[in-house]
Amino acid sequence: MERLKRLEAVQDVVLEISRISASCNDIGDFLQSVHQSISRLMYAANFYVAIYDEAQNSLRFVYRVDEVDTFPDASQSFTLASPEESPTAWVILNRQPLFMTAADDEARERENREWGNGTRAQYWMGHPLLDQQRRALGAMAIQIYDKHHIYTEEDQDLFGLIAGHVSTALQNLMSVDRLEQAVKQRTAMLEHQVEERRKAESLQRALYQIAELSVFASAEDRKFSRLHQILQELMAVPNFVVALFHEDTQEFSVEYFVDEIDDDATGSRFPLGAGMTSYVVRKKQAQLINQTTLSELIQRGEIQVLGNVSAYSWIGAPLFADDRLYGVIIIQSYQPTLTYTQADLELIAFVANHVAAAFARITADEEVRQAKLELEQKNNKLNLALENLKTAQAELIGQEKLASLGRLVAGVAHEINTPLGICVTATSHMVEELSCIKKDFAEGNLKKDGLTDFLSVLDQALRITTTNIQRGADLVKSFKQVAVDQSSESIREFDMHQYLEEVLFSLQPKLKGKKFEVSLECPKGIKMKTYPGAISQIITNLITNSLLHGFEGADKGKMQIHVELDDESQGHVVLHYRDDGKGMTSAELEKLFEPFYTTKRGNGGSGLGAHIVYNLVTGPLAGQVKVKSEPGQGLQYHMKFPLHRIIHPNIATINSD
């Protein structure tokens, strides 16, 4: 009957465990009910269940009741010991039940194989909790400290039976528990992520405001108070100082000052010495200094502090940009409850970089503005000098034209003197002969031979006079047209061949008595309607330059003028000029058309001849000019300009100056 009652009790316990596992969702409540059920079958004053996490190799005592020892909190996990160190670990890892008496424990101790650190029990019985794949879920253990109680083999079998049912129920509960734990962990992680994201967004917003502040700050409005407000949104900044560095005096001036203890020091100055601020400047990076760090720095002699330093935590960040020091930012705490961290240091360093960049930009803008102002002043001076130079250049070019015309007048005048002198001599001779014949006639001494001689002399004198007068008239006519053309800037129609002959005829005085030849090749019938004075001036300057520069030191030479209609560009004429003089180097050729450039400075060269040629071709004649030369190969000009110069009514004529 006792045996039957015990079996009925066991059956009731198993059914109770099944019923509880179906209706209970909390592992702790379920194991508490299991503990109560086991107590009805055997002595169970000391009972615990440990859950094993194979992935983490950790153990957690989810249920523990003990008369002597104290167990860790149910939520605490710790690494599973080796099987040689803990009977619980032995049961879990070997997946086998273990029954141990005090005598067995003492024997292990004598063999230096002592189990754990807990109080020795008279009887210890543990059974693994296994899932359907015989993977360890944990262990269930029961023990007796009192010698008056004992566990029989039937108790061991019964405990194993109950452990099997607990394992089955525990699988479902652990699944729910794991899900709940996962949900809690996920919820906690999401809450942490949300909080971190909120902090990150706040930090990003503040950093954007700082960056925006550094961009729009100006030399007049540096907005340090706004910077202080932005920092206070991210961290506690009860004490904030911004000091600017003056390189000329090696001093700092306090531009912004907020402090809980000291009086307002805005506007004050302090030198770059050996204090904390100077230490930050020497290190060229932000520094976090507390009282311990400060004491060490003072002992090493890296910082000298005059007076009492009451700050518990201090951060200084130098304002460096492109290796130029603009100042420092300082924050400090006088309260031990407010201690700045490495994250705070990094934030202040970031702010300092942006502030330094703002100062660099402001300084650069100021330097650019000043440079622009100086450049404008220099430009005004240069423009004035350029205007004066252009005026002087125009006057010199005008003078050169007049000088050229004057030289032409002198040459022609000298040339006219000869035929006029001959005419005067012939006329004087005729006057004398006429007086003689009149005297003979009056005295009656006139004879036929005398009259014949007189008529012969008169005929000869008249022919000489007529010839020289005609020559002088031709010279005057040629000079008159060329001189008028050179002094006038009007357009007229003319024959190119005829006009070039007149120009060369007017230049004969320059060539008279010399072995220099000028040849002209120009088809007849080329009708031009342009500025003849420009063409005359060009030919005059080209021949003059050849005589002065090209044939320097020579007693003979050839100059060729060749004119032709351009086949490629209809309505254009091409004028080629060349001499066989000494030529020019490439360096000299590059400067040929520059005003006042001459190789005969001080020897009659003005440096304007070629410049005037270029201006006349590209200006009044609306053409193009190219020049080629090599040392010893003479000089060649190639000019092309339209036959008919068209002047639009709304466009002023280009002056040769």
Side-chain angles (χ1 to χ4, degrees), residues 74-121:
S75 61
Q76 182 179 354
S77 298
F78 53 90
T79 303
L80 181 66
S82 68
E84 299 299 324
E85 296 174 336
S86 167
T88 304
W90 190 97
V91 169
I92 292 174
L93 296 177
N94 289 301
R95 297 193 295 277
Q96 294 180 9
L98 176 65
F99 181 77
M100 180 177 61
T101 64
D104 296 333
D105 192 26
E106 291 174 356
R108 289 181 62 86
E109 184 178 356
R110 289 193 296 270
E111 296 176 359
N112 294 323
R113 296 189 299 123
E114 185 177 2
W115 293 107
N117 298 317
T119 303
R120 178 175 295 153

Short mmCIF file of all heavy atoms in Angstrom, two decimals, residues 74-121:
data_model
loop_
_atom_site.label_atom_id
_atom_site.label_comp_id
_atom_site.label_asym_id
_atom_site.label_seq_id
_atom_site.Cartn_x
_atom_site.Cartn_y
_atom_site.Cartn_z
N ALA A 74 19.44 35.68 -10.92
CA ALA A 74 18.93 34.88 -12.03
C ALA A 74 19.27 35.49 -13.39
O ALA A 74 19.37 34.77 -14.39
CB ALA A 74 17.42 34.71 -11.89
N SER A 75 19.44 36.81 -13.44
CA SER A 75 19.73 37.45 -14.73
C SER A 75 21.22 37.47 -15.06
O SER A 75 21.60 37.81 -16.18
CB SER A 75 19.20 38.89 -14.71
OG SER A 75 19.83 39.63 -13.68
N GLN A 76 22.06 37.07 -14.10
CA GLN A 76 23.51 37.13 -14.31
C GLN A 76 24.01 35.87 -15.00
O GLN A 76 23.69 34.76 -14.61
CB GLN A 76 24.22 37.32 -12.97
CG GLN A 76 25.73 37.45 -13.09
CD GLN A 76 26.40 37.65 -11.74
OE1 GLN A 76 25.72 37.81 -10.73
NE2 GLN A 76 27.72 37.65 -11.72
N SER A 77 24.81 36.09 -16.03
CA SER A 77 25.42 34.97 -16.75
C SER A 77 26.92 34.99 -16.53
O SER A 77 27.52 36.06 -16.41
CB SER A 77 25.12 35.06 -18.25
OG SER A 77 23.74 34.98 -18.50
N PHE A 78 27.52 33.80 -16.50
CA PHE A 78 28.97 33.72 -16.36
C PHE A 78 29.45 32.49 -17.10
O PHE A 78 28.68 31.56 -17.39
CB PHE A 78 29.39 33.69 -14.89
CG PHE A 78 28.69 32.64 -14.07
CD1 PHE A 78 29.22 31.36 -13.94
CD2 PHE A 78 27.49 32.92 -13.43
CE1 PHE A 78 28.58 30.40 -13.19
CE2 PHE A 78 26.84 31.95 -12.68
CZ PHE A 78 27.39 30.68 -12.55
N THR A 79 30.71 32.47 -17.42
CA THR A 79 31.28 31.40 -18.23
C THR A 79 31.23 30.08 -17.49
O THR A 79 31.53 29.99 -16.29
CB THR A 79 32.74 31.74 -18.58
OG1 THR A 79 32.78 33.00 -19.25
CG2 THR A 79 33.33 30.68 -19.49
N LEU A 80 30.86 29.03 -18.21
CA LEU A 80 30.77 27.70 -17.63
C LEU A 80 32.16 27.18 -17.29
O LEU A 80 33.10 27.29 -18.09
CB LEU A 80 30.09 26.74 -18.62
CG LEU A 80 29.90 25.30 -18.16
CD1 LEU A 80 28.93 25.23 -16.97
CD2 LEU A 80 29.38 24.43 -19.31
N ALA A 81 32.30 26.61 -16.09
CA ALA A 81 33.59 26.06 -15.66
C ALA A 81 33.87 24.74 -16.37
O ALA A 81 33.03 24.19 -17.10
CB ALA A 81 33.59 25.87 -14.15
N SER A 82 35.05 24.22 -16.17
CA SER A 82 35.40 22.93 -16.76
C SER A 82 34.77 21.81 -15.94
O SER A 82 34.42 22.00 -14.77
CB SER A 82 36.92 22.77 -16.80
OG SER A 82 37.42 22.64 -15.48
N PRO A 83 34.63 20.63 -16.53
CA PRO A 83 34.02 19.50 -15.79
C PRO A 83 34.81 19.11 -14.55
O PRO A 83 34.24 18.53 -13.61
CB PRO A 83 34.02 18.37 -16.82
CG PRO A 83 34.10 19.04 -18.14
CD PRO A 83 34.89 20.28 -17.92
N GLU A 84 36.08 19.41 -14.48
CA GLU A 84 36.90 19.06 -13.33
C GLU A 84 36.75 20.05 -12.20
O GLU A 84 37.21 19.80 -11.09
CB GLU A 84 38.37 18.98 -13.75
CG GLU A 84 38.66 17.93 -14.82
CD GLU A 84 38.31 16.52 -14.33
OE1 GLU A 84 38.52 16.25 -13.13
OE2 GLU A 84 37.81 15.72 -15.13
N GLU A 85 36.13 21.20 -12.48
CA GLU A 85 36.02 22.24 -11.47
C GLU A 85 34.64 22.32 -10.84
O GLU A 85 34.49 22.85 -9.75
CB GLU A 85 36.35 23.60 -12.08
CG GLU A 85 37.77 23.72 -12.57
CD GLU A 85 38.01 25.02 -13.30
OE1 GLU A 85 37.04 25.61 -13.82
OE2 GLU A 85 39.16 25.45 -13.36
N SER A 86 33.60 21.81 -11.54
CA SER A 86 32.24 21.97 -11.04
C SER A 86 31.42 20.74 -11.38
O SER A 86 31.44 20.26 -12.53
CB SER A 86 31.61 23.21 -11.69
OG SER A 86 30.22 23.24 -11.47
N PRO A 87 30.69 20.19 -10.38
CA PRO A 87 29.81 19.04 -10.67
C PRO A 87 28.68 19.43 -11.63
O PRO A 87 28.24 18.62 -12.44
CB PRO A 87 29.29 18.64 -9.31
CG PRO A 87 29.44 19.85 -8.46
CD PRO A 87 30.65 20.55 -8.95
N THR A 88 28.21 20.70 -11.54
CA THR A 88 27.16 21.15 -12.45
C THR A 88 27.67 21.13 -13.89
O THR A 88 26.98 20.67 -14.81
CB THR A 88 26.70 22.57 -12.07
OG1 THR A 88 26.29 22.58 -10.70
CG2 THR A 88 25.56 23.03 -12.96
N ALA A 89 28.89 21.65 -14.08
CA ALA A 89 29.49 21.64 -15.41
C ALA A 89 29.71 20.20 -15.89
O ALA A 89 29.53 19.90 -17.08
CB ALA A 89 30.81 22.41 -15.40
N TRP A 90 30.09 19.31 -14.95
CA TRP A 90 30.32 17.90 -15.33
C TRP A 90 29.03 17.28 -15.86
O TRP A 90 29.02 16.60 -16.88
CB TRP A 90 30.83 17.12 -14.12
CG TRP A 90 31.33 15.74 -14.45
CD1 TRP A 90 32.59 15.36 -14.67
CD2 TRP A 90 30.51 14.56 -14.59
NE1 TRP A 90 32.67 14.02 -14.97
CE2 TRP A 90 31.38 13.50 -14.92
CE3 TRP A 90 29.15 14.29 -14.48
CZ2 TRP A 90 30.93 12.20 -15.12
CZ3 TRP A 90 28.72 12.98 -14.68
CH2 TRP A 90 29.60 11.96 -15.01
N VAL A 91 27.91 17.54 -15.17
CA VAL A 91 26.62 16.98 -15.58
C VAL A 91 26.21 17.52 -16.95
O VAL A 91 25.74 16.78 -17.82
CB VAL A 91 25.55 17.30 -14.52
CG1 VAL A 91 24.15 16.97 -15.05
CG2 VAL A 91 25.82 16.55 -13.24
N ILE A 92 26.39 18.83 -17.15
CA ILE A 92 25.96 19.46 -18.40
C ILE A 92 26.80 18.98 -19.57
O ILE A 92 26.27 18.59 -20.62
CB ILE A 92 26.02 21.00 -18.27
CG1 ILE A 92 24.97 21.49 -17.27
CG2 ILE A 92 25.82 21.68 -19.63
CD1 ILE A 92 25.06 22.97 -16.96
N LEU A 93 28.12 19.02 -19.43
CA LEU A 93 28.99 18.71 -20.56
C LEU A 93 29.04 17.22 -20.87
O LEU A 93 29.21 16.84 -22.03
CB LEU A 93 30.40 19.24 -20.28
CG LEU A 93 30.50 20.78 -20.16
CD1 LEU A 93 31.92 21.20 -19.80
CD2 LEU A 93 30.06 21.45 -21.45
N ASN A 94 28.87 16.36 -19.81
CA ASN A 94 28.86 14.91 -20.05
C ASN A 94 27.46 14.39 -20.36
O ASN A 94 27.32 13.22 -20.76
CB ASN A 94 29.43 14.16 -18.84
CG ASN A 94 30.93 14.35 -18.71
OD1 ASN A 94 31.70 14.01 -19.61
ND2 ASN A 94 31.36 14.91 -17.58
N ARG A 95 26.44 15.26 -20.12
CA ARG A 95 25.04 14.88 -20.36
C ARG A 95 24.68 13.56 -19.64
O ARG A 95 23.98 12.71 -20.17
CB ARG A 95 24.77 14.76 -21.86
CG ARG A 95 24.94 16.09 -22.61
CD ARG A 95 24.36 16.01 -24.01
NE ARG A 95 25.07 15.07 -24.85
CZ ARG A 95 26.20 15.36 -25.51
NH1 ARG A 95 26.74 16.55 -25.40
NH2 ARG A 95 26.79 14.45 -26.25
N GLN A 96 25.17 13.42 -18.38
CA GLN A 96 24.91 12.23 -17.56
C GLN A 96 24.58 12.67 -16.13
O GLN A 96 25.08 13.71 -15.68
CB GLN A 96 26.13 11.31 -17.52
CG GLN A 96 26.48 10.68 -18.86
CD GLN A 96 27.70 9.79 -18.77
OE1 GLN A 96 28.19 9.51 -17.66
NE2 GLN A 96 28.19 9.33 -19.91
N PRO A 97 23.76 11.88 -15.43
CA PRO A 97 23.45 12.21 -14.03
C PRO A 97 24.66 11.94 -13.14
O PRO A 97 25.54 11.15 -13.49
CB PRO A 97 22.28 11.30 -13.69
CG PRO A 97 22.41 10.16 -14.63
CD PRO A 97 23.00 10.70 -15.90
N LEU A 98 24.70 12.63 -12.00
CA LEU A 98 25.81 12.46 -11.06
C LEU A 98 25.25 12.44 -9.64
O LEU A 98 24.47 13.31 -9.27
CB LEU A 98 26.82 13.60 -11.22
CG LEU A 98 28.00 13.61 -10.23
CD1 LEU A 98 28.88 12.38 -10.45
CD2 LEU A 98 28.82 14.89 -10.37
N PHE A 99 25.65 11.38 -8.90
CA PHE A 99 25.27 11.27 -7.49
C PHE A 99 26.55 11.25 -6.67
O PHE A 99 27.45 10.45 -6.93
CB PHE A 99 24.45 9.99 -7.23
CG PHE A 99 24.02 9.84 -5.80
CD1 PHE A 99 22.95 10.58 -5.30
CD2 PHE A 99 24.69 8.97 -4.94
CE1 PHE A 99 22.56 10.44 -3.98
CE2 PHE A 99 24.30 8.83 -3.63
CZ PHE A 99 23.23 9.56 -3.14
N MET A 100 26.65 12.12 -5.68
CA MET A 100 27.90 12.26 -4.94
C MET A 100 27.58 12.44 -3.46
O MET A 100 26.65 13.16 -3.09
CB MET A 100 28.66 13.48 -5.48
CG MET A 100 29.98 13.76 -4.78
SD MET A 100 30.84 15.17 -5.54
CE MET A 100 29.64 16.46 -5.26
N THR A 101 28.39 11.75 -2.63
CA THR A 101 28.26 11.88 -1.18
C THR A 101 29.40 12.73 -0.66
O THR A 101 30.35 13.07 -1.38
CB THR A 101 28.30 10.50 -0.52
OG1 THR A 101 29.60 9.91 -0.74
CG2 THR A 101 27.22 9.59 -1.09
N ALA A 102 29.31 13.06 0.62
CA ALA A 102 30.38 13.85 1.26
C ALA A 102 31.69 13.09 1.24
O ALA A 102 32.76 13.67 1.07
CB ALA A 102 29.97 14.22 2.68
N ALA A 103 31.59 11.76 1.39
CA ALA A 103 32.81 10.94 1.38
C ALA A 103 33.47 11.00 0.00
O ALA A 103 34.71 11.08 -0.11
CB ALA A 103 32.47 9.50 1.74
N ASP A 104 32.64 10.99 -1.06
CA ASP A 104 33.20 11.09 -2.41
C ASP A 104 33.89 12.44 -2.60
O ASP A 104 34.98 12.53 -3.22
CB ASP A 104 32.09 10.94 -3.46
CG ASP A 104 31.44 9.56 -3.43
OD1 ASP A 104 32.13 8.61 -3.03
OD2 ASP A 104 30.26 9.47 -3.83
N ASP A 105 33.30 13.49 -2.07
CA ASP A 105 33.89 14.82 -2.22
C ASP A 105 35.21 14.92 -1.46
O ASP A 105 36.18 15.53 -1.93
CB ASP A 105 32.89 15.86 -1.72
CG ASP A 105 33.30 17.28 -2.10
OD1 ASP A 105 34.03 17.45 -3.11
OD2 ASP A 105 32.91 18.24 -1.40
N GLU A 106 35.24 14.28 -0.27
CA GLU A 106 36.47 14.31 0.51
C GLU A 106 37.58 13.54 -0.20
O GLU A 106 38.74 13.95 -0.18
CB GLU A 106 36.22 13.71 1.89
CG GLU A 106 35.33 14.59 2.77
CD GLU A 106 34.97 13.90 4.08
OE1 GLU A 106 35.36 12.72 4.25
OE2 GLU A 106 34.30 14.53 4.92
N ALA A 107 37.22 12.44 -0.83
CA ALA A 107 38.23 11.66 -1.55
C ALA A 107 38.81 12.47 -2.71
O ALA A 107 40.02 12.44 -2.96
CB ALA A 107 37.60 10.37 -2.07
N ARG A 108 37.97 13.22 -3.42
CA ARG A 108 38.46 14.06 -4.51
C ARG A 108 39.38 15.16 -3.97
O ARG A 108 40.39 15.51 -4.59
CB ARG A 108 37.29 14.70 -5.27
CG ARG A 108 36.48 13.71 -6.11
CD ARG A 108 35.35 14.44 -6.84
NE ARG A 108 35.87 15.44 -7.77
CZ ARG A 108 36.24 15.17 -9.03
NH1 ARG A 108 36.15 13.93 -9.51
NH2 ARG A 108 36.71 16.13 -9.80
N GLU A 109 39.02 15.67 -2.82
CA GLU A 109 39.86 16.72 -2.23
C GLU A 109 41.24 16.18 -1.90
O GLU A 109 42.25 16.88 -2.08
CB GLU A 109 39.17 17.28 -0.99
CG GLU A 109 39.92 18.44 -0.36
CD GLU A 109 39.18 19.00 0.84
OE1 GLU A 109 38.06 18.54 1.15
OE2 GLU A 109 39.73 19.93 1.47
N ARG A 110 41.28 14.96 -1.37
CA ARG A 110 42.58 14.36 -1.05
C ARG A 110 43.40 14.14 -2.32
O ARG A 110 44.64 14.13 -2.26
CB ARG A 110 42.38 13.03 -0.31
CG ARG A 110 41.86 13.21 1.12
CD ARG A 110 41.97 11.91 1.91
NE ARG A 110 41.13 10.87 1.35
CZ ARG A 110 39.87 10.65 1.72
NH1 ARG A 110 39.30 11.44 2.64
NH2 ARG A 110 39.17 9.67 1.18
N GLU A 111 42.73 13.97 -3.43
CA GLU A 111 43.44 13.78 -4.71
C GLU A 111 43.65 15.11 -5.44
O GLU A 111 44.01 15.12 -6.62
CB GLU A 111 42.62 12.84 -5.61
CG GLU A 111 42.49 11.44 -5.03
CD GLU A 111 41.59 10.56 -5.87
OE1 GLU A 111 41.07 11.09 -6.90
OE2 GLU A 111 41.39 9.39 -5.53
N ASN A 112 43.42 16.22 -4.72
CA ASN A 112 43.55 17.57 -5.32
C ASN A 112 42.61 17.76 -6.51
O ASN A 112 42.94 18.42 -7.48
CB ASN A 112 44.99 17.84 -5.74
CG ASN A 112 45.93 17.92 -4.56
OD1 ASN A 112 45.55 18.44 -3.49
ND2 ASN A 112 47.14 17.40 -4.71
N ARG A 113 41.44 17.15 -6.43
CA ARG A 113 40.43 17.31 -7.47
C ARG A 113 39.14 17.85 -6.85
O ARG A 113 38.07 17.36 -7.10
CB ARG A 113 40.17 15.99 -8.18
CG ARG A 113 41.38 15.47 -8.94
CD ARG A 113 41.06 14.26 -9.82
NE ARG A 113 40.57 13.14 -9.02
CZ ARG A 113 39.40 12.55 -9.22
NH1 ARG A 113 38.59 12.99 -10.16
NH2 ARG A 113 39.03 11.53 -8.46
N GLU A 114 39.27 18.87 -6.08
CA GLU A 114 38.14 19.39 -5.33
C GLU A 114 37.12 20.03 -6.27
O GLU A 114 37.45 20.71 -7.22
CB GLU A 114 38.65 20.44 -4.33
CG GLU A 114 37.57 20.97 -3.42
CD GLU A 114 38.13 21.95 -2.40
OE1 GLU A 114 39.34 22.22 -2.46
OE2 GLU A 114 37.36 22.46 -1.58
N TRP A 115 35.81 19.80 -5.98
CA TRP A 115 34.73 20.39 -6.75
C TRP A 115 34.46 21.82 -6.27
O TRP A 115 34.12 22.04 -5.13
CB TRP A 115 33.43 19.60 -6.58
CG TRP A 115 33.40 18.21 -7.14
CD1 TRP A 115 33.43 17.05 -6.44
CD2 TRP A 115 33.27 17.85 -8.51
NE1 TRP A 115 33.35 15.98 -7.26
CE2 TRP A 115 33.25 16.43 -8.56
CE3 TRP A 115 33.20 18.57 -9.71
CZ2 TRP A 115 33.14 15.73 -9.74
CZ3 TRP A 115 33.08 17.87 -10.88
CH2 TRP A 115 33.07 16.46 -10.90
N GLY A 116 34.54 22.77 -7.11
CA GLY A 116 34.06 24.12 -6.85
C GLY A 116 34.46 24.70 -5.51
O GLY A 116 35.41 24.28 -4.86
N ASN A 117 33.68 25.75 -5.11
CA ASN A 117 33.95 26.46 -3.86
C ASN A 117 32.76 26.47 -2.90
O ASN A 117 32.81 27.14 -1.88
CB ASN A 117 34.34 27.92 -4.17
CG ASN A 117 35.61 28.01 -5.00
OD1 ASN A 117 36.56 27.28 -4.73
ND2 ASN A 117 35.62 28.89 -6.00
N GLY A 118 31.70 25.75 -3.24
CA GLY A 118 30.51 25.76 -2.40
C GLY A 118 30.69 24.89 -1.15
O GLY A 118 31.65 24.16 -0.97
N THR A 119 29.68 25.01 -0.27
CA THR A 119 29.68 24.21 0.97
C THR A 119 29.47 22.73 0.63
O THR A 119 28.64 22.39 -0.22
CB THR A 119 28.57 24.69 1.91
OG1 THR A 119 28.75 26.10 2.17
CG2 THR A 119 28.61 23.93 3.22
N ARG A 120 30.24 21.87 1.33
CA ARG A 120 30.15 20.43 1.04
C ARG A 120 28.81 19.89 1.55
O ARG A 120 28.41 20.12 2.68
CB ARG A 120 31.29 19.68 1.70
CG ARG A 120 31.27 18.17 1.49
CD ARG A 120 32.51 17.54 2.07
NE ARG A 120 33.70 17.99 1.35
CZ ARG A 120 34.91 18.06 1.87
NH1 ARG A 120 35.09 17.74 3.14
NH2 ARG A 120 35.95 18.47 1.16
N ALA A 121 28.10 19.15 0.66
CA ALA A 121 26.82 18.54 1.02
C ALA A 121 27.02 17.06 1.36
O ALA A 121 27.95 16.42 0.88
CB ALA A 121 25.85 18.68 -0.14
#
